[in-house]
Amino acid sequence: MSTRRFTIAALVLLAAPMIAGAQDWKDDAPGKTHRIDVAALPAPFATQSAADFPRIVPKPNDAKLSVPPGFKVDVFTRDVDGPRTMRAAPNGDIFVTETQQGRIKILHPSADGSTAMVASVYAEGLNGPFGMQFYPAGARPQWLYVTEKNRVLRYAYKAGDAKAGGAPEVLVPQLAPTADMGHSTRDLVFSPDGRKMYVAVGSQSNVADDMGKKSADEVKAWEADKMIGAAWGNETNRADVLVFDTASPGKGKIFATGIRNCVALAMQSTGDLWCTVNERDALGDNLVPDYSTRVKEGGYYGWPWYYMGNHEDPRRKGERPDLAGKAIVPDVLYQAHSAAVGFTFYTASNGKSAFPAEYNGNGFAVFHGSWNRASRTGHKVVRVLMKDGKPTGEYQDFLTGFIAPDGKPWGRPNSIAQIGDGSLLLADDDGDVIYRISYSR
């Protein structure tokens, strides 16, 4: 090739638009930084909608999880069955929801904290338990709050309890009329002062396919009673974050709308409420990005009519012109179909396994893995970068390696939790294992 032809080819390549999030798992490596630019999102249906559900294979002999220098990953326990949400009690016990089994298990760490020596069943017979929080915050909580698919319960708790002392108290008997269908994981978190309880309820469907339509006047009346962007019909109180008065939970109300499936809630030290969200499917390989974002009271985040701000979903085209320009663009966008399902803020400043100071205040998000994408993505943990307590919009690969060189995944990480020594626990519900990520100086 002549120099002139090479130069022209290079200019054409440089001029070609970079499609946001077009990479796949082969590009992943600890320390690699990603940023999804809303302005570079492709058009809907730029690629066909793929279906490649993760089929977990046995761990290859040469498979290795990769983390940045100074970190290591060890097995904390295999005595779990489909582990999901994890919470550390003030006394060091680790509570784990085994959602599909309808069970909450307690892991009792070894003396050095490196493994779980004993596991016991705290409560069972539950309907899809997922979210958990100890209340009030501090060294002596009196309650363990638990979400089921359509209720919020609490158990009386004192430090060292190995089993629930009695039947739970039902605080919220119904989250939504159809909450037993569709997306079924419900997370919860309390405000810093403990006076408010937030509960996330995902949508029933992908894009409100069977919700029905309302006239402009009907929409106006509906939103006057609910909130801007509130869905109706079989999506009533769905794709929302709800808020309740802790002292008297009662019915609660909508806090924010248009959030398709907020799988993980988190409260930042700044007092900001965060959602980590699975966005919609079937618009192509690189739409729509998943995300983590601060959630504003009264905020509308787009679902089902819009996404990523003022991008109208073509499947709902022309239905809600009144919402044009009103959807909030999320703070941190992730590669589409990554299945972002876990999130925590790292807050440890001491402990034998505490991470370096630059990690303090950063977020960690967990990607369960794609199905609606021709080239696999996800199956990793990423670090969500912050500056002065605010998201930069970038995220950085932290733990990779769950996908073998042939593209077949051997694990599906889903949730993450910080424990007392400063290490992080990472659950894999398909592998029935919890890992411990520690740092050595």
Side-chain angles (χ1 to χ4, degrees):
M1 178 183 290
S2 70
T3 302
R4 184 176 186 282
R5 288 175 62 196
F6 178 82
T7 303
I8 291 172
L11 288 173
V12 170
L13 180 62
L14 289 172
M18 295 296 293
I19 296 175
Q23 301 82 13
D24 63 15
W25 63 274
K26 295 186 290 295
D27 300 300
D28 294 343
K32 181 169 183 176
T33 300
H34 306 264
R35 185 185 188 100
I36 307 298
D37 184 1
V38 170
L41 290 176
F45 311 119
T47 61
Q48 292 184 341
S49 181
D52 183 16
F53 290 90
R55 294 173 176 82
I56 303 302
V57 300
K59 180 182 178 181
N61 292 332
D62 59 349
K64 180 182 178 182
L65 295 174
S66 297
V67 286
F71 293 88
K72 68 174 184 175
V73 185
D74 299 296
V75 172
F76 186 70
T77 186
R78 294 188 183 277
D79 193 4
V80 283
D81 188 355
R84 293 303 303 255
T85 306
M86 300 176 290
R87 296 285 183 261
N91 73 333
D93 287 339
I94 313 299
F95 281 63
V96 183
T97 55
E98 296 178 327
T99 302
Q100 294 299 319
Q101 307 304 321
R103 188 164 58 215
I104 299 172
K105 188 172 283 185
I106 305 179
L107 307 177
H108 307 279
S110 58
D112 64 1
S114 63
T115 60
M117 299 299 293
V118 181
S120 60
V121 174
Y122 178 78
E124 54 191 339
L126 298 168
N127 182 20
F130 187 79
M132 293 182 295
Q133 291 291 345
F134 292 95
Y135 184 87
R140 294 182 177 83
Q142 300 174 10
W143 305 96
L144 174 66
Y145 281 66
V146 179
T147 55
E148 293 183 304
K149 290 182 179 180
N150 205 10
R151 302 192 301 178
V152 180
L153 319 170
R154 71 177 182 182
Y155 292 92
Y157 172 80
K158 65 180 185 298
D161 281 353
K163 189 176 182 62
E169 177 184 359
V170 178
L171 298 176
V172 181
Q174 184 185 80
L175 292 168
T178 62
D180 280 321
M181 297 178 281
H183 297 121
S184 60
T185 52
R186 317 280 175 242
D187 205 4
L188 83 159
V189 72
F190 292 100
S191 60
D193 62 8
R195 298 174 63 183
K196 295 179 180 179
M197 177 178 71
Y198 304 95
V199 180
V201 183
S203 68
Q204 178 180 306
S205 65
N206 180 39
V207 63
D209 315 271
D210 300 319
M211 185 176 69
K213 298 180 181 180
K214 289 182 180 291
S215 68
D217 287 343
E218 289 171 332
V219 167
K220 186 176 180 179
W222 177 258
E223 291 187 342
D225 182 59
K226 296 285 186 179
M227 187 178 290
I228 182 175
W232 55 78
N234 56 11
E235 300 287 359
T236 298
N237 278 14
R238 307 292 297 259
D240 295 331
V241 173
L242 308 179
V243 61
F244 300 85
D245 183 340
T246 308
S248 179
K251 185 178 178 182
K253 62 180 182 180
I254 296 173
F255 183 80
T257 64
I259 304 173
R260 179 178 176 265
N261 187 22
C262 174
V263 184
L265 283 169
M267 185 61 66
Q268 194 177 7
S269 59
T270 58
D272 288 321
L273 176 68
W274 281 69
C275 260
T276 294
V277 179
N278 278 184
E279 251 293 352
R280 69 204 78 185
D281 300 315
L283 285 180
D285 275 358
N286 301 305
L287 288 179
V288 171
D290 291 342
Y291 62 87
S292 291
T293 192
R294 293 168 290 186
V295 182
K296 299 178 181 179
E297 184 172 9
Y300 168 60
Y301 290 82
W303 189 90
W305 297 281
Y306 294 86
Y307 62 88
M308 302 296 115
N310 201 32
H311 292 78
E312 189 174 29
D313 192 309
R315 296 163 295 189
R316 315 294 306 196
K317 187 174 178 60
E319 292 181 3
R320 294 296 304 272
D322 58 302
L323 291 176
K326 295 183 179 178
I328 297 170
V329 177
D331 289 311
V332 185
L333 311 187
Y334 303 131
Q335 192 172 35
H337 312 300
S338 292
V341 295
F343 189 90
T344 193
F345 284 104
Y346 190 81
T347 59
S349 57
N350 53 45
K352 67 176 184 178
S353 298
F355 294 6
E358 59 265 29
Y359 285 83
N360 199 280
N362 283 190
F364 283 92
V366 186
F367 297 170
H368 207 203
S370 63
W371 72 265
N372 187 217
R373 201 167 192 274
S375 184
R376 189 162 304 287
T377 189
H379 300 269
K380 63 180 179 179
V381 179
V382 302
R383 176 186 174 193
V384 178
L385 302 179
M386 301 280 174
K387 183 177 181 179
D388 299 327
K390 296 181 180 180
T392 67
E394 296 177 322
Y395 65 98
Q396 192 175 82
D397 293 343
F398 179 74
L399 182 151
T400 64
F402 278 113
I403 302 177
D406 62 3
K408 296 179 180 177
W410 56 269
R412 296 196 78 192
N414 66 74
S415 63
I416 196 163
Q418 179 184 307
I419 60 176
D421 67 356
S423 59
L424 292 175
L425 297 183
L426 175 68
D428 173 357
D429 59 333
D430 266 304
D432 293 332
V433 60
I434 294 175
Y435 298 95
R436 177 174 173 265
I437 308 167
S438 59
Y439 182 80
S440 297
R441 289 170 174 76

